[in-house]
Structures are given as structure tokens and as C-alpha cells.
Amino acid sequence: SLLSASSIHRPYQQLTTPPISNPKVLFGPHTNIKMNRFLLALLSALLIVSTSAFAPSVSSVRVPTQQYSLLDTVSSMYNNWGKKATASHILFKPSQFDEDAAKAKLTEMKAEIGNDPEKFAAAAKEWSGCPSAKDGGSLGEFGPGMMVKNFDDVCFSEEVGVVQGPISTQFGEHLILITSRTGEE
């Protein structure tokens, strides 16, 4: 029988599994590091996506772009785990230029700027429609999944020190200068 006379008299705690009081048992060196990395990326993405739900929406955007979905955010965070990028950009908002005119002007500016960070900063101060224009377009350092998809893709995959673009996002058309990236394998 399952309940013998001796088991009835044993204390309750002897019949149950002891609680796990040491977090190293759950997240120690024996666990799958990739699974921990994925779970952390998923939780971080949920936090980013849930807070972006409260951001104001732009209804007048005419540029068709894919907005970040939860899967895109998790994918970027997982694929670029441990990386950070520092970038500057020049933004032409849809209210400044229509899409074709913006792309033409940015292409012209890209040829004039070359890959010179000083010329890029001067052009950003003069032309960019982003508040970062006052800082030469500098966005500072950021991690994967913190920018919109097209922007994020460029910052974590393209060559550092080279002006990229024009790149379309829901905010408009961009030229992007990736100034540094850390965490490369």
C-alpha cells in the first residue's frame, strides 16, 4: 500500500520535495546558456514592446515600412546578443520632403559627405528633422531591438564608419553613420 504506517508518522516535509532556495540551481553553469539568453531577450523585448504601446502614433506617415513586431525584437536581441552600437543619422521627415525627393536629396548628400564624420555632423545640424540634429545627429549608444527594424538592421549588420542609406522607416528617410559597434565575436 502507498500509505504504510511508517509513512503516516513521517513529518510532512519529508514527504514533499524540498524548495529550491539556491538560484544557482536554476541558472547555474549546468543550464543551457542559449536558453537563458533567449529568455532574457524575450523578457526584454516584451518590456520594450509593451512600453512602446504608449508612444504617440504617427498617422500621417506615407512611407510604407514594417514596424517592429515582438518576433523582430526578440530575433534582433538574440542574434546581436551583447552588442552595442553608436550611430548618427540625418532624418528627412515626410513633412519636410516627399519620399522620392527625400531619397534623391539624401543620395546627393551622401556623395558630398563621403564617410567623413565631421561633414556628416555638419549636414545633420543643417538638414535633419530629428531633435538629435543639434548634436550632429548623434543617437549615442544603444542595444539591439531599441530602434525600429530597418534602422536596427543597418546598425547591427553594416560596416562601421561608412554612411548607409537612404533607409526608410515610419519616421521618414535616413542616412546612417555607424560610428562604433562593440560585442563583435
XYZ file of all heavy atoms in Angstrom, residues 74-154:
608
model
N 12.783 40.237 -30.508
C 13.467 39.099 -29.888
C 14.568 38.585 -30.805
O 15.677 38.301 -30.352
C 12.466 37.970 -29.547
C 13.191 36.711 -29.102
C 11.508 38.430 -28.466
N 14.286 38.485 -32.097
C 15.271 37.994 -33.055
C 16.511 38.881 -33.075
O 17.640 38.393 -33.042
C 14.643 37.922 -34.443
O 15.601 37.548 -35.389
N 16.315 40.197 -33.115
C 17.451 41.113 -33.136
C 18.254 41.011 -31.846
O 19.486 40.978 -31.865
C 16.981 42.554 -33.335
O 18.090 43.427 -33.290
N 17.555 40.940 -30.720
C 18.259 40.859 -29.445
C 19.041 39.551 -29.334
O 20.153 39.524 -28.825
C 17.267 41.011 -28.297
C 16.647 42.395 -28.241
S 15.386 42.521 -26.996
C 16.390 43.055 -25.635
N 18.461 38.460 -29.820
C 19.129 37.160 -29.752
C 20.327 37.116 -30.706
O 21.418 36.710 -30.319
C 18.136 36.045 -30.097
C 18.730 34.670 -29.978
C 18.867 34.065 -28.735
C 19.185 33.987 -31.100
C 19.439 32.810 -28.611
C 19.752 32.736 -30.984
C 19.873 32.146 -29.739
O 20.448 30.912 -29.620
N 20.124 37.543 -31.947
C 21.198 37.481 -32.943
C 22.335 38.450 -32.662
O 23.460 38.238 -33.116
C 20.640 37.749 -34.344
C 19.729 36.639 -34.802
O 19.878 35.484 -34.407
N 18.763 36.980 -35.633
N 22.047 39.530 -31.962
C 23.064 40.553 -31.683
C 23.370 40.641 -30.192
O 23.723 41.701 -29.689
C 22.581 41.907 -32.212
C 22.399 41.885 -33.701
O 23.321 41.598 -34.439
N 21.187 42.159 -34.152
N 23.220 39.513 -29.517
C 23.392 39.467 -28.063
C 24.747 40.043 -27.654
O 25.775 39.705 -28.225
C 23.292 38.025 -27.578
C 23.322 37.951 -26.094
C 24.378 37.621 -25.303
C 22.240 38.232 -25.221
N 24.019 37.674 -23.994
C 22.718 38.051 -23.909
C 20.919 38.624 -25.410
C 21.912 38.250 -22.795
C 20.120 38.820 -24.310
C 20.606 38.631 -23.021
N 24.726 40.952 -26.696
C 25.959 41.527 -26.171
C 26.525 42.670 -26.992
O 27.515 43.267 -26.612
N 25.907 42.975 -28.118
C 26.414 44.060 -28.965
C 25.792 45.393 -28.561
O 24.667 45.441 -28.075
C 26.096 43.804 -30.440
C 26.821 42.626 -31.048
C 26.465 42.466 -32.498
C 27.128 41.250 -33.109
N 26.734 41.085 -34.515
N 26.525 46.444 -28.808
C 26.042 47.820 -28.661
C 26.529 48.579 -29.885
O 27.611 48.309 -30.400
C 26.604 48.494 -27.402
C 26.156 47.881 -26.093
C 24.796 48.359 -25.740
C 24.406 47.836 -24.362
N 23.068 48.214 -24.013
N 25.730 49.515 -30.352
C 26.127 50.337 -31.493
C 26.029 51.798 -31.104
O 25.218 52.179 -30.264
C 25.227 50.050 -32.691
N 26.858 52.599 -31.721
C 26.784 54.052 -31.595
C 26.636 54.570 -33.022
O 27.400 54.177 -33.905
C 28.065 54.625 -30.946
O 28.260 53.979 -29.692
C 27.944 56.125 -30.733
N 25.627 55.413 -33.232
C 25.358 55.882 -34.586
C 24.844 57.311 -34.582
O 24.352 57.809 -33.573
C 24.342 54.964 -35.270
N 24.956 57.930 -35.752
C 24.375 59.248 -36.018
C 23.486 59.095 -37.242
O 23.683 58.175 -38.035
C 25.474 60.271 -36.306
O 26.319 60.427 -35.189
N 22.526 59.999 -37.377
C 21.673 59.915 -38.564
C 21.206 61.290 -38.995
O 21.236 62.250 -38.235
C 20.478 58.985 -38.320
C 19.380 59.578 -37.503
N 18.058 59.491 -37.864
C 19.402 60.280 -36.352
C 17.311 60.110 -36.956
N 18.102 60.586 -36.034
N 20.795 61.336 -40.235
C 20.141 62.511 -40.799
C 18.752 62.029 -41.184
O 18.617 61.056 -41.928
C 20.893 63.045 -42.040
C 22.311 63.476 -41.640
C 20.117 64.192 -42.687
C 23.214 63.813 -42.819
N 17.734 62.684 -40.657
C 16.351 62.287 -40.909
C 15.632 63.340 -41.729
O 15.666 64.527 -41.397
C 15.604 62.102 -39.577
C 14.077 61.964 -39.651
C 13.687 60.678 -40.361
C 13.476 62.022 -38.266
N 15.001 62.896 -42.790
C 14.066 63.738 -43.535
C 12.679 63.204 -43.232
O 12.328 62.098 -43.651
C 14.330 63.693 -45.039
C 15.518 64.509 -45.487
C 15.951 64.425 -46.796
C 16.200 65.351 -44.635
C 17.035 65.171 -47.245
C 17.288 66.097 -45.061
C 17.703 66.005 -46.362
N 11.905 63.970 -42.497
C 10.538 63.581 -42.154
C 9.632 63.740 -43.377
O 9.927 64.552 -44.264
C 9.997 64.476 -41.034
C 10.699 64.327 -39.720
C 10.075 65.265 -38.705
C 10.720 65.145 -37.356
N 10.112 66.068 -36.382
N 8.525 63.004 -43.402
C 7.587 63.161 -44.525
C 7.056 64.592 -44.653
O 6.701 65.017 -45.741
C 6.462 62.188 -44.184
C 7.109 61.162 -43.319
C 8.152 61.900 -42.525
N 7.060 65.350 -43.553
C 6.596 66.736 -43.617
C 7.638 67.656 -44.274
O 7.304 68.750 -44.723
C 6.260 67.247 -42.215
O 7.402 67.206 -41.384
N 8.895 67.226 -44.348
C 9.950 68.025 -44.975
C 10.009 67.816 -46.486
O 10.159 68.770 -47.236
C 11.323 67.650 -44.386
C 11.558 68.101 -42.960
C 12.900 67.590 -42.465
O 13.004 66.462 -42.026
N 13.920 68.436 -42.561
N 9.987 66.542 -46.895
C 10.109 66.166 -48.303
C 9.205 64.968 -48.557
O 8.990 64.163 -47.659
C 11.544 65.703 -48.631
C 12.606 66.752 -48.502
C 13.340 66.889 -47.332
C 12.908 67.584 -49.571
C 14.340 67.830 -47.223
C 13.915 68.532 -49.462
C 14.629 68.658 -48.291
N 8.731 64.829 -49.812
C 8.051 63.572 -50.119
C 9.127 62.498 -50.258
O 10.326 62.788 -50.326
C 7.154 63.682 -51.361
C 7.909 63.921 -52.652
O 8.947 63.262 -52.870
O 7.464 64.757 -53.456
N 8.729 61.245 -50.296
C 9.673 60.125 -50.253
C 10.721 60.176 -51.359
O 11.915 60.036 -51.105
C 8.909 58.798 -50.314
C 9.809 57.582 -50.210
C 9.027 56.278 -50.233
O 7.780 56.296 -50.289
O 9.691 55.226 -50.209
N 10.300 60.400 -52.590
C 11.245 60.418 -53.715
C 12.231 61.578 -53.610
O 13.430 61.416 -53.851
C 10.493 60.474 -55.045
C 9.714 59.188 -55.318
O 10.126 58.126 -54.811
O 8.692 59.259 -56.027
N 11.721 62.760 -53.247
C 12.590 63.935 -53.104
C 13.579 63.724 -51.948
O 14.753 64.105 -52.058
C 11.760 65.189 -52.874
N 13.107 63.128 -50.873
C 13.977 62.863 -49.722
C 15.107 61.910 -50.106
O 16.274 62.159 -49.788
C 13.164 62.288 -48.563
N 14.760 60.833 -50.796
C 15.784 59.863 -51.216
C 16.790 60.496 -52.168
O 17.994 60.253 -52.059
C 15.124 58.646 -51.867
C 14.465 57.723 -50.865
C 13.843 56.520 -51.545
C 13.203 55.600 -50.514
N 12.585 54.422 -51.120
N 16.313 61.328 -53.084
C 17.214 61.995 -54.034
C 18.166 62.942 -53.312
O 19.380 62.948 -53.577
C 16.400 62.746 -55.088
N 17.644 63.752 -52.406
C 18.469 64.707 -51.660
C 19.472 63.972 -50.762
O 20.646 64.351 -50.689
C 17.581 65.644 -50.830
C 18.348 66.673 -50.036
C 19.111 67.639 -50.922
C 19.822 68.693 -50.097
N 20.754 69.493 -50.893
N 19.037 62.896 -50.090
C 19.951 62.143 -49.231
C 21.049 61.453 -50.035
O 22.199 61.403 -49.593
C 19.173 61.116 -48.393
C 18.334 61.700 -47.255
C 17.448 60.626 -46.631
C 19.214 62.349 -46.193
N 20.718 60.960 -51.212
C 21.717 60.340 -52.082
C 22.763 61.371 -52.512
O 23.973 61.104 -52.510
C 21.038 59.689 -53.309
O 20.093 58.712 -52.848
C 22.046 59.031 -54.228
N 22.292 62.572 -52.835
C 23.194 63.673 -53.197
C 24.092 64.038 -52.006
O 25.309 64.211 -52.153
C 22.348 64.879 -53.627
C 23.118 66.123 -53.955
C 22.174 67.309 -54.224
O 21.127 67.104 -54.877
O 22.492 68.418 -53.746
N 23.489 64.138 -50.823
C 24.257 64.479 -49.618
C 25.282 63.392 -49.290
O 26.414 63.699 -48.881
C 23.306 64.675 -48.421
C 22.458 65.922 -48.532
S 21.196 66.009 -47.245
C 22.198 66.206 -45.795
N 24.901 62.143 -49.469
C 25.800 61.017 -49.195
C 27.056 61.115 -50.054
O 28.171 60.880 -49.565
C 25.060 59.698 -49.446
C 25.859 58.456 -49.150
C 24.986 57.222 -49.381
C 25.742 55.946 -49.168
N 24.901 54.757 -49.378
N 26.897 61.493 -51.323
C 28.042 61.650 -52.226
C 28.949 62.797 -51.769
O 30.177 62.683 -51.824
C 27.551 61.886 -53.651
N 28.333 63.887 -51.282
C 29.116 65.043 -50.814
C 29.836 64.741 -49.501
O 30.960 65.191 -49.287
C 28.197 66.251 -50.628
C 27.651 66.822 -51.916
C 26.622 67.931 -51.680
O 26.573 68.484 -50.561
O 25.870 68.230 -52.621
N 29.181 64.013 -48.609
C 29.729 63.720 -47.284
C 30.843 62.690 -47.360
O 31.828 62.775 -46.623
C 28.611 63.210 -46.335
C 27.604 64.321 -46.047
C 29.188 62.643 -45.050
C 26.319 63.838 -45.371
N 30.693 61.713 -48.251
C 31.621 60.575 -48.254
C 31.407 59.807 -46.957
O 30.272 59.548 -46.577
N 32.495 59.479 -46.285
C 32.392 58.822 -44.977
C 33.025 59.678 -43.887
O 33.502 59.161 -42.888
C 33.043 57.430 -45.030
C 32.300 56.506 -45.968
O 31.075 56.504 -46.000
N 33.041 55.738 -46.747
N 33.019 60.991 -44.094
C 33.634 61.936 -43.172
C 32.666 62.267 -42.023
O 31.633 62.900 -42.250
C 34.002 63.213 -43.930
C 34.762 64.212 -43.082
O 34.607 64.221 -41.843
O 35.511 65.017 -43.667
N 33.000 61.868 -40.798
C 32.110 62.120 -39.659
C 31.849 63.611 -39.396
O 30.749 63.979 -38.975
C 32.835 61.493 -38.464
C 33.861 60.592 -39.038
C 34.173 61.097 -40.409
N 32.846 64.470 -39.664
C 32.655 65.906 -39.438
C 31.675 66.501 -40.444
O 30.815 67.311 -40.088
C 34.000 66.635 -39.482
C 34.885 66.281 -38.286
C 36.266 66.893 -38.369
O 36.520 67.744 -39.257
O 37.115 66.512 -37.535
N 31.801 66.103 -41.714
C 30.848 66.570 -42.727
C 29.447 66.035 -42.440
O 28.456 66.726 -42.645
C 31.291 66.127 -44.132
C 32.496 66.869 -44.667
C 32.832 66.383 -46.068
C 34.045 67.093 -46.645
N 34.356 66.588 -47.998
N 29.383 64.777 -41.954
C 28.090 64.177 -41.626
C 27.417 64.979 -40.507
O 26.236 65.316 -40.603
C 28.268 62.706 -41.197
C 26.971 61.957 -41.080
C 26.488 61.223 -42.152
C 26.224 61.986 -39.918
C 25.285 60.535 -42.063
C 25.025 61.306 -39.811
C 24.552 60.579 -40.894
N 28.166 65.304 -39.462
C 27.614 66.059 -38.334
C 27.149 67.449 -38.780
O 26.079 67.923 -38.361
C 28.651 66.177 -37.217
N 27.916 68.095 -39.634
C 27.533 69.420 -40.135
C 26.249 69.333 -40.960
O 25.349 70.174 -40.821
C 28.667 70.020 -40.968
N 26.143 68.317 -41.811
C 24.932 68.142 -42.629
C 23.723 67.821 -41.745
O 22.610 68.311 -41.998
C 25.143 67.033 -43.648
N 23.932 67.017 -40.710
C 22.834 66.691 -39.786
C 22.330 67.949 -39.082
O 21.115 68.155 -38.951
C 23.287 65.653 -38.760
N 23.254 68.803 -38.635
C 22.857 70.049 -37.966
C 22.045 70.943 -38.887
O 21.107 71.596 -38.472
C 24.092 70.800 -37.460
C 24.704 70.177 -36.227
C 25.929 70.948 -35.757
C 26.523 70.269 -34.537
N 27.707 70.953 -34.024
N 22.411 70.954 -40.153
C 21.733 71.826 -41.112
C 20.408 71.247 -41.621
O 19.436 71.976 -41.784
C 22.655 72.091 -42.300
C 22.056 73.038 -43.324
C 22.996 73.315 -44.490
O 24.209 73.016 -44.398
O 22.504 73.839 -45.508
N 20.349 69.942 -41.859
C 19.223 69.371 -42.583
C 18.291 68.457 -41.793
O 17.119 68.318 -42.155
C 19.741 68.564 -43.781
C 20.271 69.410 -44.881
C 21.574 69.761 -45.104
C 19.511 70.026 -45.915
N 21.674 70.544 -46.214
C 20.408 70.722 -46.737
C 18.157 70.056 -46.234
C 20.009 71.441 -47.856
C 17.757 70.753 -47.352
C 18.673 71.444 -48.144
N 18.796 67.773 -40.768
C 17.996 66.724 -40.119
C 16.752 67.262 -39.421
O 16.795 68.312 -38.769
C 18.849 65.951 -39.105
O 18.105 64.881 -38.553
N 15.670 66.523 -39.533
C 14.414 66.870 -38.879
C 14.257 66.221 -37.512
O 13.179 66.237 -36.926
N 15.322 65.638 -36.996
C 15.298 64.960 -35.699
C 15.878 65.886 -34.620
O 16.782 66.671 -34.909
C 16.137 63.677 -35.781
S 16.201 62.724 -34.254
N 15.382 65.785 -33.390
C 15.970 66.586 -32.301
C 17.467 66.325 -32.105
O 18.175 67.173 -31.577
C 15.179 66.155 -31.063
C 13.876 65.671 -31.590
C 14.190 65.058 -32.930
N 17.961 65.166 -32.572
C 19.388 64.865 -32.435
C 20.243 65.739 -33.358
O 21.475 65.724 -33.258
C 19.656 63.388 -32.741
O 19.419 63.104 -34.104
N 19.617 66.508 -34.241
C 20.354 67.368 -35.177
C 21.285 68.319 -34.427
O 22.404 68.570 -34.883
C 19.387 68.159 -36.049
N 20.847 68.821 -33.289
C 21.673 69.769 -32.523
C 22.979 69.132 -32.040
O 23.945 69.822 -31.771
C 20.890 70.351 -31.357
C 20.526 69.376 -30.268
C 19.699 70.052 -29.171
C 19.348 69.120 -28.059
N 18.589 67.962 -28.413
N 23.001 67.785 -31.964
C 24.203 67.045 -31.576
C 24.883 66.411 -32.782
O 25.563 65.395 -32.661
C 23.847 65.949 -30.565
C 23.257 66.508 -29.276
O 23.745 67.552 -28.810
O 22.300 65.900 -28.760
N 24.661 66.957 -33.963
C 25.256 66.409 -35.173
C 24.629 65.090 -35.593
O 25.253 64.297 -36.282
N 23.396 64.853 -35.135
C 22.689 63.623 -35.480
C 23.009 62.451 -34.584
O 22.498 61.346 -34.785
N 23.839 62.666 -33.561
C 24.273 61.571 -32.697
C 23.117 61.007 -31.873
O 22.396 61.739 -31.200
C 25.376 62.036 -31.749
O 25.716 60.981 -30.859
N 22.967 59.692 -31.929
C 21.950 58.993 -31.149
C 22.546 58.315 -29.928
O 21.830 57.685 -29.159
C 21.254 57.945 -32.031
C 20.507 58.522 -33.224
C 20.089 57.412 -34.169
C 19.308 59.332 -32.763
N 23.854 58.412 -29.758
C 24.507 57.760 -28.624
C 24.583 56.260 -28.821
O 24.440 55.747 -29.928
N 24.788 55.550 -27.719
C 24.918 54.093 -27.764
C 23.573 53.440 -27.480
O 22.816 53.904 -26.630
C 25.942 53.638 -26.728
C 26.225 52.150 -26.768
C 27.284 51.736 -25.771
O 26.997 51.730 -24.559
O 28.402 51.400 -26.218
N 23.279 52.358 -28.174
C 22.032 51.636 -27.979
C 22.248 50.162 -28.274
O 23.209 49.772 -28.935
C 20.912 52.210 -28.861
C 21.285 52.352 -30.308
C 21.074 51.324 -31.206
C 21.870 53.523 -30.776
C 21.438 51.451 -32.535
C 22.237 53.663 -32.106
C 22.017 52.622 -32.990
N 21.340 49.356 -27.763
C 21.420 47.916 -27.965
C 20.464 47.446 -29.042
O 19.644 48.215 -29.555
N 20.544 46.167 -29.389
C 19.644 45.614 -30.407
C 18.193 45.664 -29.945
O 17.905 45.493 -28.762
C 20.136 44.171 -30.567
C 20.908 43.876 -29.331
C 21.449 45.175 -28.847
N 17.311 45.923 -30.893
C 15.888 45.971 -30.575
C 15.407 47.305 -30.041
O 14.224 47.484 -29.785
N 16.303 48.274 -29.883
C 15.906 49.572 -29.329
C 15.487 50.566 -30.416
O 14.882 51.578 -30.105
C 17.039 50.152 -28.486
C 17.328 49.328 -27.247
S 18.663 49.992 -26.241
C 17.885 51.457 -25.575
N 15.839 50.289 -31.654
C 15.467 51.150 -32.776
C 14.465 50.412 -33.656
O 14.313 49.202 -33.540
C 16.700 51.532 -33.600
C 17.758 52.287 -32.830
S 17.170 53.926 -32.391
C 18.526 54.535 -31.434
N 13.812 51.134 -34.547
C 12.871 50.485 -35.465
C 13.632 49.511 -36.365
O 14.834 49.638 -36.563
C 12.072 51.522 -36.293
C 11.160 52.329 -35.396
C 12.976 52.418 -37.096
N 12.922 48.534 -36.895
C 13.527 47.391 -37.570
C 14.557 47.758 -38.637
O 15.685 47.281 -38.577
C 12.454 46.505 -38.191
C 13.072 45.323 -38.948
C 12.093 44.304 -39.346
C 12.681 43.154 -40.109
N 14.072 42.840 -39.928
N 14.192 48.557 -39.621
C 15.123 48.867 -40.715
C 16.384 49.548 -40.188
O 17.488 49.283 -40.653
C 14.448 49.745 -41.766
C 13.272 49.060 -42.421
O 12.986 47.901 -42.155
N 12.571 49.783 -43.267
N 16.216 50.432 -39.235
C 17.340 51.152 -38.641
C 18.224 50.178 -37.865
O 19.444 50.172 -37.991
C 16.785 52.245 -37.711
C 17.732 53.365 -37.446
C 17.658 54.533 -38.178
C 18.689 53.266 -36.453
C 18.532 55.600 -37.923
C 19.567 54.303 -36.198
C 19.487 55.470 -36.930
N 17.605 49.332 -37.065
C 18.302 48.333 -36.262
C 19.103 47.376 -37.154
O 20.261 47.073 -36.870
C 17.278 47.564 -35.427
C 17.901 46.636 -34.401
O 18.257 47.122 -33.310
O 18.007 45.431 -34.693
N 18.476 46.934 -38.242
C 19.147 46.012 -39.162
C 20.443 46.613 -39.698
O 21.477 45.932 -39.759
C 18.234 45.652 -40.339
C 17.096 44.727 -39.956
O 17.111 44.156 -38.841
O 16.163 44.586 -40.771
N 20.405 47.865 -40.080
C 21.592 48.538 -40.615
C 22.658 48.674 -39.530
O 23.829 48.340 -39.751
C 21.230 49.929 -41.194
C 22.472 50.747 -41.485
C 20.380 49.772 -42.436
